[in-house]
């Protein structure tokens, strides 16, 4: 299948049109015309080479919503014309304990990311959603619930599941006291999801300038992390903190905010952190943990949860040729919304 996308050809993150071919359908494959693709901060990190050398040319994008255009002979769950989605991974071994327990993201043999990794069968490098078409094995295609706004659904496939998974794993329910560090692309989704679960949600930010937005999302208010008196007064007041800050920072500053047996879950920064002082952890049996997206079953669950509760990311729609400007904005700071590419704009290239 000949198609076109926008690719990075070096670590300067400058995206340009790239004509390439998708593989022929295998028996268990689904071919998808991409309608919308979200722009994730990890796309910028990856194409910039921040997480190591990359196999350029590389097409990023792992927040994909589209329509089925063809199916392999053995496909049972999808039909041509159906609205579907693809998230951060497109394959795994399907045989290990983690795959059998629907935690493919922790596949013992390594899951296959949607872009930038060798295909498990052909060895070709996977290319992502900043393109017109994609071919994915059936087990990693997701159903978009009927009636969802397709233009706003795409970021749920990363920002949504990345925050939904720890909320579910740590048992958030009505009355759970949850703090959300950061109100960017991940943080604002965490606030919305936790509030819909019935939690008592507080946004934790360096200033109160986003307090009105936080309350509109479902938070009770903002705890200003630069206010020493406010931080002291908030000691032991959270059961769970979801830390979405995407840069190196002092996670230990938030530890005293946890109650006994509380947990901070890091979902934003991938890389070094400030040195961690252990007394707040030891004195309160508190924990610092990490979490990586979610399995396919849980990703389907978050789509259905968002459909049921009418939850969508705050989105700004852009055209494909605006991606370099979007990357520049991401590099300058943590945006309080998600960019979504209208892939219809690629037809004009």
């Amino acid at each position: 299948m000949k198609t076109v996308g926008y690719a990075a050809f070096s670590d300067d993150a400058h995206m340009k049109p790239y004509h390439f071919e998708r593989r022929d359908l295998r028996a268990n494959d689904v071919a998808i015309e991409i309608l919308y693709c979200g722009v994730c901060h990890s796309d910028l990190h990856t194409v910039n080479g921040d997480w190591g050398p990359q196999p350029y040319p590389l097409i990023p994008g792992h927040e994909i919503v589209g329509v089925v255009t063809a199916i392999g002979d053995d496909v049972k769950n999808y039909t041509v014309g159906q609205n579907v989605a693809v998230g951060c991974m497109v394959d795994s071994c399907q045989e290990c304990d983690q795959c059998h327990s629907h935690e493919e993201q922790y596949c013992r043999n390594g899951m296959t990311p949607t872009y930038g990794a060798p295909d498990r069968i052909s060895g070709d490098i996977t290319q992502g959603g900043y393109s017109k078409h994609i071919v994915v094995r059936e087990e990693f295609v997701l159903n978009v619930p009927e009636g969802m706004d397709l233009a706003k659904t795409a970021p749920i496939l990363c920002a949504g599941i990345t925050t939904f998974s720890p909320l579910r794993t740590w048992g958030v329910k009505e009355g759970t006291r949850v703090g959300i560090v950061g109100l960017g692309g991940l943080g604002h989704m965490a606030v919305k999801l936790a509030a819909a679960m019935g939690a008592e949600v507080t946004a934790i930010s360096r200033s109160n300038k986003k307090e009105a937005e936080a309350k509109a999302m479902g938070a009770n208010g903002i705890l200003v992390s630069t206010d020493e008196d406010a931080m002291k007064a908030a000691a032991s007041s959270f059961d769970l903190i979801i830390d979405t800050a995407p840069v190196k920072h002092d996670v230990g500053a938030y530890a005293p905010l946890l109650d006994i047996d509380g947990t901070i879950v890091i979902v934003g920064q991938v890389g070094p952190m400030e040195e961690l002082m252990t007394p707040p952890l030891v004195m309160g049996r508190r924990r610092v943990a990490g979490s990586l997206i979610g399995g396919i079953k849980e990703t389907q669950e978050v789509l259905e949860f968002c459909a049921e509760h009418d939850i969508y990311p705050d989105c700004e729609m852009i055209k494909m040729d605006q991606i370099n400007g979007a990357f520049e904005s991401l590099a300058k700071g943590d945006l309080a919304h998600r960019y979504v590419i209208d892939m219809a704009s690629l037809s004009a290239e």
Side-chain angles (χ1 to χ4, degrees):
M1 180 194 298
K2 293 183 178 180
T3 189
V4 63
Y6 261 53
F9 289 80
S10 68
D11 61 7
D12 65 1
H14 183 76
M15 309 296 292
K16 295 185 292 186
Y18 175 52
H19 292 267
F20 68 109
E21 291 187 4
R22 293 291 186 183
R23 67 171 184 259
D24 292 335
L25 262 68
R26 300 166 188 156
N28 63 340
D29 274 343
V30 177
I32 302 165
E33 179 184 352
I34 300 174
L35 302 178
Y36 301 98
C37 185
V39 178
C40 181
H41 208 285
S42 61
D43 297 341
L44 177 60
H45 281 305
T46 302
V47 299
N48 260 340
D50 295 340
W51 297 338
Q54 298 300 318
Y56 305 107
L58 181 61
I59 298 175
H62 56 206
E63 301 175 349
I64 299 166
V65 171
V67 59
V68 176
T69 58
I71 58 174
D73 292 340
D74 294 343
V75 172
K76 298 179 176 64
N77 298 313
Y78 298 99
T79 58
V80 173
Q82 183 175 352
N83 293 328
V84 293
V86 178
C88 299
M89 53 185 171
V90 291
D91 208 350
S92 70
C93 79
Q94 299 286 285
E95 296 176 353
C96 70
D97 59 332
Q98 295 304 301
C99 289
H100 285 167
S101 58
H102 307 291
E103 297 271 35
E104 299 92 344
Q105 74 275 28
Y106 301 125
C107 174
R108 301 288 185 182
N109 296 298
M111 61 86 167
T112 303
T114 305
Y115 61 88
D119 180 271
R120 300 182 77 87
I121 296 175
S122 70
D124 294 333
I125 299 301
T126 56
Q127 301 289 2
Y130 294 10
S131 58
K132 197 64 179 171
H133 304 90
I134 194 168
V135 176
V136 180
R137 67 177 293 176
E138 177 182 20
E139 293 87 347
F140 287 79
V141 178
L142 298 142
N143 177 52
V144 177
E146 187 175 353
M148 288 196 79
D149 183 340
L150 299 183
K152 295 181 179 180
T153 295
I156 297 172
L157 280 303
C158 180
I161 185 58
T162 296
T163 50
F164 183 83
S165 186
L167 293 171
R168 278 286 190 246
T169 299
W170 274 270
V172 170
K173 59 185 185 300
E174 186 173 355
T176 303
R177 300 167 299 170
V178 177
I180 308 297
V181 178
L183 278 173
L186 288 174
H188 88 282
M189 278 301 293
V191 169
K192 292 182 179 186
L193 291 167
M197 293 175 183
E200 298 176 8
V201 184
T202 301
I204 304 173
S205 184
R206 290 168 293 183
S207 73
N208 61 4
K209 66 180 182 180
K210 296 181 181 177
E211 185 162 16
E213 293 95 321
K215 288 182 176 179
M217 296 171 192
N220 295 332
I222 281 184
L223 171 60
V224 179
S225 60
T226 54
D227 185 333
E228 292 185 8
D229 292 337
M231 291 288 280
K232 288 179 181 178
S236 302
S237 62
F238 295 103
D239 304 304
L240 178 69
I241 294 174
I242 306 295
D243 184 346
T244 74
V247 296
K248 183 178 180 181
H249 61 283
D250 181 13
V251 67
Y254 308 115
L257 301 176
L258 293 170
D259 207 345
I260 308 299
D261 284 324
T263 303
I264 299 172
V265 184
I266 298 169
V267 298
Q269 167 66 343
V270 179
M273 300 289 278
E274 298 288 351
E275 184 176 6
L276 182 64
M277 298 297 291
T278 62
L281 305 181
V282 173
M283 300 304 293
R285 203 162 58 202
R286 302 174 176 107
R287 293 173 290 273
V288 177
S291 182
L292 174 70
I293 56 171
I296 295 300
K297 182 178 180 180
E298 194 168 52
T299 306
Q300 186 65 58
E301 182 183 350
V302 71
L303 283 168
E304 293 167 1
F305 184 87
C306 288
E308 177 185 354
H309 295 276
D310 196 31
I311 296 172
Y312 292 101
D314 295 339
C315 298
E316 179 181 345
M317 199 65 56
I318 63 172
K319 296 180 179 180
M320 187 69 259
D321 62 6
Q322 295 175 298
I323 186 59
N324 291 311
F327 274 0
E328 289 175 5
S329 295
L330 283 178
K332 290 177 181 177
D334 190 21
L335 299 179
H337 63 266
R338 301 289 277 196
Y339 287 118
V340 176
I341 306 166
D342 181 354
M343 298 310 300
S345 63
L346 189 57
S347 299
E349 290 296 328

